[in-house]
Amino acid sequence: MFALWIECFKMGLRELWRHRLRSFLTMIGMIMGVSVVIICVSVVQGVKDSLIGDIRKAGKNMMFVFTEDTRKGIGTIGVQVNTNLSRDDAEAIELECDGVAMASGVQGTNVLVVSDTSTATVPVTGADHKYTAIRNWGIEQGRDLEPFDVIASRRVCLIGQTTMRELFGDRNAINRTVRIGRISLKIVGVLEPKGINPLGMDEDNALIVPLPIMLRDIMNRREPDAILCSAKSDDDVEFAVQQITQLLRQRHKLAEADKNDFRVSTLKEKEEQARTISNQMTLLMFFLALVSLMVGGVGIMNIMLVSVTERTREIGIRMAIGASTKAINRQFLIEAAVISTAGGTVGIVLGVSGAAYISSAIGVEPLMSPAIVGIAFLFSAGVGVIFGLLPARRAAGLNPIEALRHD
Amino acid sequence: MPDAPPIQPSDIVSTIDDASVPITVKLRDLHKIYDSGANAVHAVRGLNVDIPEGQYISIMGASGSGKSTLLNVLGALDVPSKGTYHLAGKLTSKQTRDELAALRNEYIGFIFQNFNLLTRSTAVENVELPMVYAGVPTRKRRAAALAALDKVGLADRANHLPSEMSGGQQQRVAIARSLVNTPRVLLADEPTGNLDTHTSGEIMKILDELHTKDGLTIIIVTHDPGVAEFTERVIVLRDGRIIADQKTPRCGGPAVPDVRALSLSVPEN
Ligand SMILES: Nc1ncnc2c1ncn2[C@@H]1O[C@H](COP(=O)(O)OP(=O)(O)OP(=O)(O)O)[C@@H](O)[C@H]1O
Ligand SMILES: [Mg+2]
């Protein structure tokens, strides 16, 4: 019986080759479907992975606490910028929440920074000495901020790679000074390169100053807008968020019914978002591909029906010399499966090379799992079998005598 | 080929008068009605025939008398509308489609007037085909197919397509194909109908040998009294009924009737 399978397969291949152009045209639907799935899935997954990698790179188990305006009816016209958070909150979070390893108040703004030779608008961040540790950001040259810098409001700063290049060109920036308004800051450290973040911003365009300097001297305000924290471990993030929420509600003396006057967000959330979006995209692609495979399948069914009609006499001859209905059925099923898997295989090859090309063009590593390739292959074979069922049944159901008499 | 002496039937090795030979084909009140919508055609009307194993028999009759219809039923290609057909003791109407297919594959060999070869397959592939459906392994198949082609004198044409062969050669390929599964019954529907006298003679010689040497039961439909004379017994049909069932001259019977004359005469029963 195994011999019959092989024979059917050979007959299928031969028939395919005999009608090369027709087979190829029939296969296009399959080729498109399969290659599009592979390209989309691997590129989207690749983008997701690089996105998540970027998010992870942004900092270790990072959490942000932002102030949130809960008062109603008050516009944001006032000069005084209100914040519900304080440096004491940051300190309390670090001390009292055991899920939290470090916390630092942070305040950022874009200001004009002037060096001895040029000027640039730079996102300046005020933070304390734990900032680089929370962000998982190394110092390439010089030193980090120290507790004393913050306590004593020393006029020092750390500079990012891009900012350094803009302000100093190829010169070494260490121990040089930059000016923000009337304040001169000494550059004590150069940050390691960090690259572009998922939002497309250049992380290396940065200047880090002690928080008191930022608040008092640059922005003229009392407390920071945000607190940056890091959880002790990845698993602690959710727990830490809860603790922070509880602690801040207590410290801010919020009643049971009151809404939070702050918002805690985590990178894990962002990661989940990236994951959800890319999975949704993958699903969408999958459905599009499914439609395309269906169209391909209908094409195969159509051509197989034509083939059965064309070869009615051949079928009659085969039956006359003893082919069972099963054998005829199998012959046409396999033939349909051969067309569709041939299309699927071409689609896989196109898909894999297309994914590699597109990925390299947009600068991500394509995620090509053998599972996807295997599934695509099985799917295309399955499409052939499913859409071959009807034509094969029609062939097998022919009356031998009538089929023989057909011309 | 130079003019060969006319081919003659071989000496009689007939079992026609031996009553102890088992019956291979047994028909009782066999009818076939083609019911194509409004006008039904009653092609075969109540045949009762016994054909013993190993008999060489011809079926004659005017065009439209139901010969092909009968042969198709005998070959399990078609089913009777009424009556019974026992093949080797088995009632064919009790069998499923696939059992009939297996019967055609193993027990029956069929030869057609128009050869019915697969036009896009070579001679040897055509001959292999019945073995494909019998589940014979590839290598054995090829050897057996080549041997069968050799037997009909076509060893050198094994890899030719039917379109590259003469009618006689194509019919010999068809004979080789009908024989590869060593059937017990060989059915031929006007096997020489499309061939000239000389080529017909060659085909008849092969069939004659199959009968005498291999003891095959051979049933052959023909218009040609010359062909019928090779056989042992002749059945004549008219309008789906048997009007004559007799021995051929070589077995001591009367002369084979002329079909055209018969179709004009009044049926005897
Ligand atoms: N498929 C069919 N549908 C309807 N009628 C049919 C069919 N096949 C045969 N017939 C009719 O049955 C009758 C017997 O046909 P059959 O083919 O058996 O004749 P035959 O003796 O073989 O004739 P010939 O010598 O011309 O081959 C004819 O009247 C024919 O028209
Ligand atoms: Mg006929």
Side-chain angles (χ1 to χ4, degrees):
Chain A
M1 276 297 92
F2 192 58
L4 191 53
W5 280 100
I6 295 174
E7 209 56 36
C8 285
F9 186 71
K10 275 199 254 171
M11 288 192 291
L13 279 181
R14 200 191 299 175
E15 210 55 43
L16 200 72
W17 185 244
R18 197 166 276 153
H19 304 288
R20 284 177 287 275
L21 180 62
R22 188 209 260 188
S23 310
F24 173 70
L25 293 176
T26 310
M27 279 170 359
I28 285 179
M30 300 299 301
I31 295 176
M32 300 273 260
V34 170
S35 56
V36 166
V37 188
I38 291 186
I39 289 175
C40 290
V41 170
S42 53
V43 171
V44 167
Q45 295 293 317
V47 168
K48 180 186 84 178
D49 276 10
S50 85
L51 213 59
I52 288 176
D54 286 348
I55 290 171
R56 291 234 168 104
K57 226 165 52 189
K60 264 193 212 152
N61 321 320
M62 265 202 321
M63 295 170 286
F64 300 95
V65 185
F66 298 103
T67 180
E68 192 142 82
D69 210 340
T70 51
R71 296 164 306 165
K72 283 183 190 141
I74 296 179
T76 48
I77 302 159
V79 186
Q80 173 69 36
V81 188
N82 282 295
T83 173
N84 301 321
L85 300 171
S86 67
R87 279 171 277 185
D88 290 344
D89 283 339
E91 210 163 301
I93 287 170
E94 184 172 317
L95 286 176
E96 290 176 40
C97 302
D98 25 297
V100 177
M102 292 174 281
S104 160
V106 286
Q107 179 67 53
T109 190
N110 286 322
V111 289
L112 199 68
V113 180
V114 183
S115 75
D116 52 351
T117 51
S118 55
T119 61
T121 304
V122 180
V124 178
T125 305
D128 67 22
H129 62 278
K130 285 161 284 188
Y131 183 76
T132 51
I134 297 172
R135 297 277 332 256
N136 200 20
W137 204 344
I139 303 295
E140 189 183 71
Q141 211 186 350
R143 64 169 179 87
D144 201 350
L145 290 183
E146 281 162 6
F148 188 69
D149 294 327
V150 180
I151 297 163
S153 301
R154 286 171 65 176
R155 299 193 164 181
V156 294
C157 68
L158 306 176
I159 193 167
Q161 298 274 334
T162 307
T163 313
M164 179 168 76
R165 215 171 309 118
E166 275 180 18
L167 292 177
F168 297 101
D170 293 333
R171 291 177 294 158
N172 191 337
I174 291 281
N175 291 333
R176 293 185 190 275
T177 48
V178 290
R179 214 158 41 73
I180 297 174
R182 270 169 301 152
I183 305 149
S184 293
L185 299 162
K186 189 171 116 186
I187 297 166
V188 293
V190 177
L191 293 158
E192 277 180 352
K194 207 166 170 68
I196 311 287
N197 75 5
L199 299 173
M201 292 189 309
D202 181 5
E203 295 263 29
D204 295 325
N205 188 16
L207 198 71
I208 317 288
V209 302
L211 186 58
I213 301 245
M214 184 67 178
L215 293 175
R216 191 190 60 204
D217 298 337
I218 299 176
M219 292 189 73
N220 189 24
R221 55 184 290 170
R222 303 175 79 85
E223 296 293 347
D225 272 342
I227 299 169
L228 184 65
C229 323
S230 80
K232 282 203 171 117
S233 80
D234 197 40
D235 300 330
D236 283 334
V237 171
E238 271 158 45
F239 171 60
V241 169
Q242 272 175 19
Q243 282 185 323
I244 291 168
T245 310
Q246 222 164 21
L247 180 73
L248 289 183
R249 283 187 71 89
Q250 193 188 318
R251 285 179 59 87
H252 296 179
K253 304 194 168 57
L254 297 178
E256 194 87 358
D258 290 344
K259 279 197 201 152
N260 289 344
D261 59 357
F262 57 90
R263 181 164 50 87
V264 187
S265 83
T266 65
L267 280 181
K268 223 175 176 175
E269 275 169 24
K270 299 254 181 307
E271 207 177 301
E272 283 313 314
Q273 271 169 13
R275 199 162 278 162
T276 311
I277 290 172
S278 67
N279 285 350
Q280 279 169 346
M281 293 248 298
T282 306
L283 203 67
L284 183 72
M285 299 299 176
F286 185 74
F287 276 112
L288 287 177
L290 212 63
V291 168
S292 156
L293 285 183
M294 295 286 260
V295 172
V298 170
I300 290 176
M301 177 154 77
N302 190 26
I303 218 70
M304 289 307 294
L305 285 172
V306 170
S307 177
V308 168
T309 311
E310 276 178 355
R311 287 152 70 193
T312 301
R313 205 173 142 79
E314 173 197 323
I315 295 164
I317 294 172
R318 290 179 185 277
M319 286 176 162
I321 60 171
S324 61
T325 47
K326 220 195 295 172
I328 298 291
N329 197 57
R330 192 177 299 163
Q331 179 187 343
F332 282 89
L333 263 191
I334 291 179
E335 202 171 307
V338 165
I339 294 184
S340 67
T341 36
T345 309
V346 174
I348 287 171
V349 172
L350 279 184
V352 168
S353 38
Y357 177 76
I358 291 174
S359 299
S360 78
I362 63 173
V364 300
E365 187 77 11
L367 190 96
M368 227 104 61
S369 67
I372 291 173
V373 172
I375 288 171
F377 187 81
L378 289 181
F379 238 92
S380 52
V383 163
V385 170
I386 288 170
F387 287 92
L389 278 175
L390 178 70
R393 265 186 60 172
R394 182 163 290 184
L398 287 175
N399 177 314
I401 273 294
E402 278 165 22
L404 263 181
R405 248 196 287 258
H406 195 270
D407 45 23
Chain B
M1 208 174 176
D3 250 8
I7 295 162
Q8 293 294 322
S10 52
D11 290 339
I12 304 159
V13 197
S14 180
T15 55
I16 193 154
D17 294 315
D18 185 350
S20 67
V21 176
I23 302 295
T24 296
V25 170
K26 187 168 112 180
L27 305 179
R28 288 295 174 268
D29 192 30
L30 190 89
H31 288 260
K32 180 69 194 181
I33 300 160
Y34 291 111
D35 198 1
S36 49
N39 43 344
V41 179
H42 210 145
V44 167
R45 307 166 182 248
L47 299 189
N48 293 296
V49 178
D50 285 336
I51 300 175
E53 196 179 307
Q55 197 163 77
Y56 192 8
I57 178 168
S58 51
I59 299 172
M60 299 188 77
S63 186
S65 57
K67 306 182 296 292
S68 296
T69 305
L70 172 61
L71 205 71
N72 290 338
V73 171
L74 292 179
L77 279 169
D78 211 348
V79 287
S81 311
K82 210 181 120 196
T84 59
Y85 167 31
H86 284 89
L87 181 62
K90 275 189 228 153
L91 184 61
T92 53
S93 55
K94 278 262 166 65
Q95 292 181 290
T96 64
R97 252 189 98 134
D98 283 350
E99 281 169 343
L100 291 178
L103 203 65
R104 291 196 293 271
N105 187 234
E106 291 154 17
Y107 199 81
I108 300 169
F110 220 113
I111 302 168
F112 304 89
Q113 178 174 2
N114 56 357
F115 323 131
N116 275 338
L117 297 174
L118 294 188
T119 50
R120 294 173 304 188
S121 300
T122 61
V124 68
E125 284 167 346
N126 266 289
V127 176
E128 271 184 59
L129 210 54
M131 292 185 282
V132 169
Y133 295 116
V136 178
T138 317
R139 200 174 296 161
K140 231 171 118 187
R141 219 158 64 199
R142 188 46 61 112
L146 288 173
L149 278 175
D150 191 37
K151 200 168 164 184
V152 295
L154 282 178
D156 55 332
R157 295 295 159 99
N159 293 314
H160 286 228
L161 290 173
S163 57
E164 299 162 354
M165 286 185 275
S166 73
Q169 287 168 334
Q170 289 185 55
Q171 193 60 300
R172 282 188 283 164
V173 172
I175 293 174
R177 182 182 66 184
S178 73
L179 295 175
V180 279
N181 278 350
T182 56
R184 294 311 305 148
V185 178
L186 194 61
L187 304 173
D189 193 351
E190 302 189 37
T192 61
N194 282 352
L195 307 175
D196 64 38
T197 337
H198 178 74
T199 321
S200 299
E202 283 175 5
I203 299 295
M204 289 318 293
K205 182 146 194 259
I206 294 171
L207 294 183
D208 193 56
E209 264 178 34
L210 289 169
H211 169 242
T212 48
K213 286 197 188 140
D214 301 335
L216 240 67
T217 307
I218 301 177
I219 304 173
I220 179 168
V221 164
T222 183
H223 277 117
D224 184 353
V227 167
E229 266 157 20
F230 276 80
T231 63
E232 301 168 332
R233 174 182 169 192
V234 55
I235 288 178
V236 185
L237 293 182
R238 196 192 156 178
D239 293 334
R241 292 198 184 84
I242 294 175
I243 56 168
D245 183 350
Q246 62 198 40
K247 289 185 202 172
T248 54
R250 62 188 282 233
C251 295
V256 172
D258 186 340
V259 175
R260 276 143 299 187
L262 265 170
S263 63
L264 296 171
S265 72
V266 182
E268 289 160 26
N269 51 345

